[in-house]
Amino acid sequence: MSRNQDSKGKGKTSGRGNANSKTNSSARGNAPFNKKSPTVNKTSSSPRSSNPDEMRLNKYIANSGVCSRREADENIAIGLVMVNGKVVTEMGYKVKRSDDVRFDGQRVTPEPPVYILLNKPKGFATTTAEGKGRTVMDLVANATSSSIKPIGRLGRNSLGLLLFTNDDKVVQKFTNSKNGVPRLFQVELDKNLKFEDLKKIQEGFKVEGKLVSVEEISYIQGESKSQVGIKIKNTGNTILRTIFEELNYDIVRIDCVAIGHLTKKDIPRGHWKHLTEQEVNTLKMI
């Protein structure tokens, strides 16, 4: 895989790659693109041993933009900061970037927010775990050094758009069951979808006692009736297989063609791009 990609965003090089964020990078091609825990840490021992991958807790908080280092020390002292589920009041305590640091209950990170949109090809698992063969993390390895994760899932053989970020608020927006972000899929079935089944999906029906519903569904104009467009707010595509298997259809192909207002325009398969400031702002307003 080549590493050429657009770097309009402010990300740095990835923890899994070494490309400079100001150079174009790509996954496979080389075309450029335009309240408090009862357990309190009060140990009197010295902070963790010196490690270039660690930083003082007050600096970590200050770098996140929450407050100054002096104010961070004051807030640490009164127990407003938790690290990996435990309140820490020790001055000079050191943390790793991978630690879960929370200020007054809200997770903070010293990294700038990063938003990366990938046009996923077949054959890549949507996971951050090691030992799973080729994963989507390999495709965005040179996008940023920030600890990004994919929002939702696309099956290994599913195609299309997948959004990565380290912004917990955006992740929460996607995973909110009531106000999630809509995703549009093109689905190809093993046979034509009967009109009565399309209406049934449109109206919603129960599977194992649970209501299954979609935002929209329609035949794709100019294509056979085995191809449909379907919009859902669910973050995974398992619901699509649940719907069609219940009605005795097999899915041949799944392609996510839009996430909210974001489309695959100018992002060839296997490539990614940083979202523009305008795209991020619009995403947050959905």
Side-chain angles (χ1 to χ4, degrees), residues 10-255:
K10 298 181 180 179
K12 302 173 240 179
T13 55
S14 173
R16 300 181 66 166
N18 298 311
N20 187 291
S21 65
K22 293 186 179 180
T23 61
N24 287 339
S25 166
S26 163
R28 300 199 305 168
N30 56 9
F33 293 96
N34 288 349
K35 273 244 187 174
K36 304 178 185 176
S37 168
T39 305
V40 181
N41 187 328
K42 293 184 178 181
T43 60
S44 59
S45 59
S46 59
R48 299 180 189 179
S49 59
S50 178
N51 186 318
D53 294 328
E54 297 177 340
M55 71 172 68
R56 287 179 178 271
L57 182 55
N58 62 352
K59 180 179 179 181
Y60 186 104
I61 294 171
N63 286 359
S64 73
V66 172
C67 59
S68 68
R69 283 204 203 185
R70 182 188 294 272
E71 292 170 328
D73 281 334
E74 295 172 355
N75 287 301
I76 290 170
I78 62 176
L80 281 181
V81 179
M82 297 177 69
V83 179
N84 299 328
K86 295 183 179 180
V87 173
V88 172
T89 58
E90 176 186 342
M91 294 297 105
Y93 189 86
K94 290 187 176 182
V95 294
K96 297 179 180 179
R97 289 183 179 274
S98 59
D99 286 337
D100 183 332
V101 179
R102 295 180 183 267
F103 180 90
D104 199 18
Q106 296 295 315
R107 187 168 185 176
V108 296
T109 173
E111 302 169 336
V114 178
Y115 312 89
I116 294 167
L117 188 64
L118 169 72
N119 188 355
K120 178 189 173 299
K122 282 186 177 181
F124 290 82
T126 304
T127 179
T128 58
E130 299 290 342
K132 299 293 184 180
R134 297 189 302 176
T135 75
V136 292
M137 301 309 297
D138 297 321
L139 296 172
V140 296
N142 291 327
T144 176
S145 63
S146 298
S147 301
I148 58 172
K149 294 182 179 179
I151 301 178
R153 302 181 69 85
L154 283 176
R156 185 180 290 273
N157 291 319
S158 297
L159 310 167
L161 296 178
L162 193 61
L163 183 63
F164 298 73
T165 188
N166 58 352
D167 187 333
D168 282 350
K169 290 184 178 180
V170 170
V171 173
Q172 291 170 10
K173 177 183 286 289
F174 270 80
T175 55
N176 185 300
S177 59
K178 293 182 179 179
N179 304 308
V181 176
R183 298 194 300 164
L184 177 62
F185 292 86
Q186 287 186 359
V187 178
E188 182 180 350
L189 304 173
D190 63 330
K191 55 190 175 184
N192 289 344
L193 179 66
K194 297 176 182 178
F195 181 73
E196 55 264 36
D197 288 336
L198 183 143
K199 293 294 292 183
K200 185 173 183 179
I201 295 170
Q202 194 172 53
E203 294 167 358
F205 61 98
K206 288 188 175 181
V207 177
E208 297 180 352
K210 295 182 179 180
L211 179 65
V212 174
S213 60
V214 303
E215 298 294 303
E216 298 175 18
I217 182 171
S218 64
Y219 295 116
I220 296 177
Q221 188 174 5
E223 301 291 344
S224 71
K225 286 184 169 52
S226 64
Q227 298 194 46
V228 295
I230 185 167
K231 184 182 290 187
I232 62 173
K233 287 186 176 180
N234 189 287
T235 54
N237 61 7
T238 304
I239 187 173
L240 298 178
R241 298 195 182 278
T242 299
I243 290 171
F244 291 109
E245 287 177 2
E246 179 69 16
L247 299 174
N248 297 315
Y249 296 90
D250 289 328
I251 293 179
V252 175
R253 185 173 182 268
I254 293 176
D255 189 354

